[in-house]
Amino acid sequence: MTQTQTETVPEQDSPGRTRWGIFLAILAVPTLVVAALLALLIAWLFTDDSVAADVKQTSCAEALAFGGTKLPEGAKDAWCGLEAGPEARYTARFRMPRAEIDAWVAAGFPQGPKLRTTQCGDAQVDACLNAGPVAGERASVQIDITHDSRRWSEVRFEAFTL
C-alpha cells in the first residue's frame, strides 16, 4: 500500500452566518409594542377627555336676562348660547359702540360693580366686570370687553349660577 500525499487546502477567511438577524427580529417585536404603547400614552395625555359642553343657540334676550341685563340698542353680530349641564350657563358675544359701554353697564348693574381695567385675567381684555348674585338676581355675571377700534368693542358676556 502506498500512501498518497494529501494536499491541505487552507480554509477561507470569510465570516460565516451569524445569528444577528434572528436576534434583531426577536428584539424588534417588543420594541415596536413598547413604542406603540408610548404613542398611545402620549396621545391620551394630550387629548381633551373632558365632557364637552353641548352649547345650543338661544335668544340673546333670554341669555342676557338671566344675568339681569338686556342687549344694548346698537349691538351687532350678536350670538348667544346655553351650555347644557347641571347648572345653566349662558354666553353671549356681540359688538357694540365703544362710547355706549359705560351707560349699558350702569343700566344693567345699577348697584355695581363698575367696569375695571386691571386684573381682568386675560391680557387682551381692555375692561371687565365680575358681579356676584345681588338682590333679586339669580346668576353671577362675567363681562370681558375688548376694544376692536376707536368706535367698536367686542363684548363677551357669561351668566351662570354658582
Side-chain angles (χ1 to χ4, degrees):
M1 254 199 177
T2 56
Q3 273 191 343
T4 59
Q5 265 203 340
T6 58
E7 183 178 317
T8 57
V9 180
E11 289 186 28
Q12 293 180 358
D13 289 338
S14 65
R17 287 192 67 184
T18 63
R19 293 189 174 102
W20 280 107
I22 296 170
F23 177 73
L24 290 176
I26 292 171
L27 192 60
V29 171
T31 303
L32 291 174
V33 169
V34 169
L37 288 174
L38 280 173
L40 287 173
L41 177 67
I42 290 171
W44 177 70
L45 289 174
F46 288 103
T47 56
D48 182 19
D49 57 353
S50 63
V51 178
D54 185 23
V55 179
K56 68 175 186 173
Q57 191 167 356
T58 188
S59 73
C60 287
E62 176 185 345
L64 291 161
F66 188 78
T69 189
K70 58 184 180 178
L71 194 64
E73 293 280 329
K76 293 185 179 184
D77 304 327
W79 184 91
C80 299
L82 171 62
E83 291 183 24
E87 301 292 332
R89 183 177 199 92
Y90 287 92
T91 60
R93 293 178 188 265
F94 55 90
R95 294 178 62 225
M96 68 178 291
R98 187 173 176 176
E100 298 173 11
I101 290 175
D102 289 329
W104 174 70
V105 169
F109 305 97
Q111 296 94 5
K114 304 287 184 215
L115 280 176
R116 64 178 188 270
T117 58
T118 59
Q119 299 176 346
C120 288
D122 187 1
Q124 303 299 319
V125 173
D126 295 309
C128 61
L129 176 136
N130 293 329
V134 292
E137 295 177 9
R138 60 183 177 172
S140 294
V141 174
Q142 291 180 345
I143 299 173
D144 291 334
I145 298 171
T146 306
H147 302 307
D148 287 345
S149 66
R150 297 182 83 189
R151 294 192 55 217
W152 292 95
S153 295
E154 179 185 352
V155 176
R156 291 184 309 259
F157 175 92
E158 288 189 29
F160 52 93
T161 56
L162 296 176

